[in-house]
Amino acid sequence: TFRLCCACIFILLLPALSDGGKLLVVPMAGSHWLSLQKVVEKLSERGHEVVLLMPEVSWHMKTSQAYTVKTYPVSVTLEEMDNGFREYLANHLEGLPFPMNILAIYNSSERAFRMWYAQCRDLFSSKETLQYLNQSSFDAVLTDPILICGATLANYLSLPYVFFMRGFPCNLHYDAPQCPSPLSYIPRLFSFNSDQMTFLQRVENALIAFLELVYCNGLYDDIVQLSSEVLQRDVSLMDLLNSASIWLLRFDFVFEYVRPVMPNMVFVGGINCVQKKPLSK
């Protein structure tokens, strides 16, 4: 049975023997896109028709012969994006003590997220873009879900969607697929603890997990509200995340803390690394 499954997968990966699908890619700009770009190009090589949806103002995203680019107008300028990122980066490098570092990072993150949410709102305000997407008969959506806009668009188009990502704040990439993450031995982000914690460190870990609920609600409140408006029904952050068909996680399982994972979670660590030429003999 295992050999049969492997043979089927191998056949599907051969462009000459399988029909390509039509894929809508909704990326995030910057370094996130640089990781996803290689995957998009490889999908195109294997016979899939790929359409990249990108704002008119973005970082690093350009046209290519490997895929079709569909742009939509946005109100955010490149200068505003650059300034927001500089502030975000400066807060990470400032070296403030805990919990001041968390508050500074949260405030700059919230401002940056609101700027990107404005681009998402511009997308759903573009009637021409939405008409194009509705008429294009896509088979699925591939998206970096950190800003949730791709998941919202996939729900709007009633399409299955695949996440390609490094991780979420607040442990959402494990909470949404309902993976157990016991606070007794899996440290939370910003705790800087190991998986062998003292009693007080475990208490600290539990407090951080509680505060993360407030943290993430603040970060994603605007996009959840926008999603509810677009989909014309009340949705939660978890509604948008746990409906993903596949989670492609851009890290290696062996470098993470041990925990069960769901069958639709696939670890693809190293997929974004530069492919070097083999050493000469």
Side-chain angles (χ1 to χ4, degrees), residues 193-212:
N193 294 325
S194 71
D195 57 342
Q196 298 182 8
M197 293 177 277
T198 65
F199 174 75
L200 290 179
Q201 287 174 328
R202 290 177 178 178
V203 172
E204 178 190 47
N205 206 41
L207 289 174
I208 291 175
F210 176 76
L211 291 174
E212 282 179 345

Side-chain angles (χ1 to χ4, degrees), residues 107-270:
N107 289 331
S108 61
S109 298
E110 188 177 33
R111 286 188 286 271
F113 271 51
R114 284 179 178 173
M115 177 179 62
W116 285 312
Y117 293 157
Q119 288 191 338
C120 188
R121 186 174 291 276
D122 291 335
L123 166 61
F124 287 104
S125 298
S126 175
K127 294 182 179 180
E128 185 272 332
T129 304
L130 294 180
Q131 182 180 9
Y132 167 82
L133 296 174
N134 276 302
Q135 295 176 350
S136 295
S137 301
F138 292 105
D139 296 310
V141 175
L142 174 64
T143 181
D144 185 319
I146 189 67
L147 298 177
I148 313 297
C149 192
T152 302
L153 181 60
N155 277 277
Y156 173 79
L157 298 173
S158 300
L159 293 173
Y161 49 104
V162 176
F163 286 161
F164 180 87
M165 61 184 302
R166 172 58 184 89
F168 269 114
C170 312
N171 208 50
L172 287 173
H173 51 293
Y174 285 114
D175 290 346
Q178 302 181 22
C179 297
S181 295
L183 295 174
S184 57
Y185 72 92
I186 296 183
R188 308 297 277 199
L189 188 66
F190 298 125
S191 71
F192 306 108
N193 294 325
S194 71
D195 57 342
Q196 298 182 8
M197 293 177 277
T198 65
F199 174 75
L200 290 179
Q201 287 174 328
R202 290 177 178 178
V203 172
E204 178 190 47
N205 206 41
L207 289 174
I208 291 175
F210 176 76
L211 291 174
E212 282 179 345
L213 298 175
V214 180
Y215 182 94
C216 268
N217 285 338
L219 283 182
Y220 289 106
D221 184 60
D222 286 352
I223 193 64
V224 170
Q225 182 178 353
L226 174 61
S227 300
S228 298
E229 294 173 8
V230 169
L231 302 177
Q232 298 182 347
R233 57 184 171 87
D234 290 335
V235 296
S236 67
L237 180 59
M238 286 300 179
D239 291 334
L240 296 168
L241 294 179
N242 60 24
S243 298
S245 299
I246 300 175
W247 295 65
L248 298 177
L249 300 171
R250 196 165 38 83
F251 51 88
D252 200 308
F253 178 80
V254 299
F255 294 125
E256 299 299 307
Y257 295 104
V258 178
R259 75 187 93 191
V261 295
M262 296 297 111
N264 65 335
M265 299 174 70
V266 183
F267 293 87
V268 292

Side-chain angles (χ1 to χ4, degrees), residues 85-106:
F85 181 75
R86 288 192 189 99
E87 179 190 4
Y88 176 79
L89 182 62
N91 285 325
H92 276 77
L93 301 177
E94 198 168 358
L96 294 173
F98 181 86
M100 299 304 296
N101 60 337
I102 307 302
L103 293 174
I105 292 173
Y106 172 77

